[in-house]
Amino acid sequence: MKAVLSLLCGSLVIAASGAAHAQAPAAGPASAGAFPNKMVRIVVPFPPGGSTDVLARKLADAMTQDFGQSVIVENRPGAGGTVGSAFVARAPADGYTLLMGVTGSHAVSYSLYAKPSYDPVKDFAAISMIVNSPLMLVRNANVPARTVPEYVTYAKSRLAQVTYGSPGNGTSMHLTGEMFALATGAQLLHVPYKGSAPALNDLLGGQLDSMFGDLLVVQQFVKSGKIQAIAVTSQQRHPMFPDVPTVAESGVPGFEALSWQGLFAPAGTPPEVVAALNAEVTKVLDRPDMKAFFSSQGFIVTPSSPDAFKTFVAAEVKKWAAIVKAAGVPVE
C-alpha cells in the first residue's frame, strides 16, 4: 500500500456562450498552401459555459486574429468528454479539427472503460498544455473542520458518513477524493451529481458536507464566506488564495492533484502543422492580456512542447489507472 500511496500522491495533474456549430471541413492536404488556409475548429467535449468552453473561446478569438482565418469552437458533450474526444480522434489529420482535452478525457477515462473508444496517447497528436489549476477542498459551515487534520479526524469519527460531491462518477473531482482517502485513511462517502452546479447548490444548502471543486466554480463563494476553504491540492499555495494551505503542507506530503487542459489534434497530423499550432499557442499564452484573463479565472498558464505534453499525458494515464485500481472504482 505504501508504494501505491507514493504513486498516488505524486505529481498528479488531475480540471460560455452558445455553441458555434459548423459543418466539418472537407479533408485536404495540409500542405496545400500555408497553414491555415481555411477555418479551424476547436472541439470542446463539454456543454457551453464551463471552464473548458470559456478557455477555448478565449484562445480561439486570439488565434483568429493571428491566423487571419476563423477559429471557431464546437461543443460536442457527452460521457465525461469522451464523445467529443472520440470525434476528433476520427477526424482528418490535417490540423483543421482540434480538441481541448482535459484530465478527465485524456487521463481518467481510459481506465474507466473496459473497451475505451480511443487511446489518449496513440490516437492524438499532442500540441501543448494550455493551463492547469488546483482543486479546492471546501466545506459548508456545519462541518467542524478548519484544517486537513481536523477534516480527516472528523471523517474517521463519522464512519464513512462525511460526504463529498463531484460532477459525476469517474471525474477528476471524484478521483481526487478517492486519492485523498487512500492517502489519509479518511472514510468519505462519494455523492455523484450531474455537473458541478447541483453539487455546489447542495453544499451551499448544507445537504452536502464537502467537495473537491474547480477553483473557477467555488472561488466566488469562498470569497463571500458562503462556503469555507480547507486546502488546495497543488504543491504550492495558489496566488489567488495565499492564506489557504495546501494538502501537502497539511500533513500529506507529496499530495498533488491538478486539473489541466491542453490542445490536441488527430494522430498523423503533419509535424509542421503541429509545430505551427504549438508556436501559435505559445505566442498567445505569452500575451499579458491573456495571462491576466486566465489568472483572473484561477488558471496557471503552462505551455509546453508537443513532445513534453505527450510524455506527460502518457504518465497521467498510468497514474490515474493506479488510482482507479487502488480505490476499486467500477469499470464500465
Side-chain angles (χ1 to χ4, degrees):
M1 178 60 72
K2 182 179 292 184
V4 172
L5 292 183
S6 176
L7 175 59
L8 301 186
C9 294
S11 176
L12 242 190
V13 181
I14 38 180
S17 59
H21 293 280
Q23 185 177 358
S31 59
F35 177 87
N37 55 24
K38 57 184 178 182
M39 183 189 73
V40 177
R41 60 175 166 175
I42 300 176
V43 173
V44 170
F46 303 103
S51 61
T52 305
D53 187 66
V54 172
L55 185 156
R57 291 178 188 278
K58 190 72 174 178
L59 186 66
D61 288 345
M63 292 172 70
T64 295
Q65 296 173 22
D66 289 349
F67 283 157
Q69 298 284 350
S70 295
V71 180
I72 62 109
V73 169
E74 180 176 323
N75 298 88
R76 286 181 172 265
T82 61
V83 171
S85 298
F87 171 80
V88 174
R90 296 190 294 267
D94 55 10
Y96 289 94
T97 301
L98 308 176
L99 174 74
M100 189 63 73
V102 303
T103 314
S105 67
H106 274 66
V108 177
S109 64
Y110 193 64
S111 297
L112 293 177
Y113 295 94
K115 296 181 179 180
S117 57
Y118 58 87
D119 186 304
V121 178
K122 295 179 181 179
D123 291 339
F124 295 89
I127 295 171
S128 177
M129 187 182 290
I130 306 296
V131 297
N132 68 51
S133 177
L135 302 178
M136 180 178 279
L137 173 58
V138 293
R139 63 177 176 87
N140 70 49
N142 298 323
V143 175
R146 295 178 178 274
T147 66
V148 167
E150 289 177 357
Y151 179 75
V152 171
T153 298
Y154 180 67
K156 288 180 178 179
S157 71
R158 300 281 291 178
L159 300 177
Q161 294 303 307
V162 173
T163 57
Y164 79 98
S166 80
N169 286 315
T171 60
S172 61
M173 295 78 173
H174 167 206
L175 292 180
T176 297
E178 298 286 1
M179 175 182 170
F180 182 88
L182 287 167
T184 63
Q187 295 176 292
L188 303 174
L189 178 62
H190 175 233
V191 182
Y193 290 82
K194 293 182 178 179
S196 292
L200 182 61
N201 285 337
D202 276 3
L203 184 68
L204 291 165
Q207 291 82 35
L208 185 68
D209 293 323
S210 59
M211 66 183 292
F212 290 87
D214 265 328
L215 211 58
L216 180 64
V217 173
V218 303
Q219 60 175 293
Q220 63 175 312
F221 300 100
V222 171
K223 290 179 178 179
S224 68
K226 293 182 179 180
I227 56 178
Q228 287 70 46
I230 296 177
V232 292
T233 61
S234 50
Q235 284 283 350
Q236 295 80 34
R237 296 191 182 196
H238 196 279
M240 189 178 287
F241 293 94
D243 295 330
V244 177
T246 68
V247 174
E249 72 179 275
S250 301
V252 194
F255 190 98
E256 184 175 44
L258 306 177
S259 177
W260 57 264
Q261 306 190 42
L263 198 63
F264 297 85
T269 299
E272 62 272 20
V273 173
V274 171
L277 288 165
N278 177 268
E280 171 61 13
V281 167
T282 301
K283 175 184 175 183
V284 166
L285 295 181
D286 194 46
R287 283 171 35 179
D289 62 315
M290 295 293 283
K291 289 181 177 180
F293 172 78
F294 290 135
S295 177
S296 71
Q297 304 299 307
F299 293 123
I300 297 174
V301 176
T302 52
S304 64
S305 70
D307 286 344
F309 190 32
K310 180 179 180 179
T311 299
F312 168 78
V313 173
E316 283 285 275
V317 171
K318 292 181 180 179
K319 289 179 180 179
W320 278 116
I323 293 173
V324 169
K325 182 176 180 180
V329 178
V331 176
E332 297 183 10

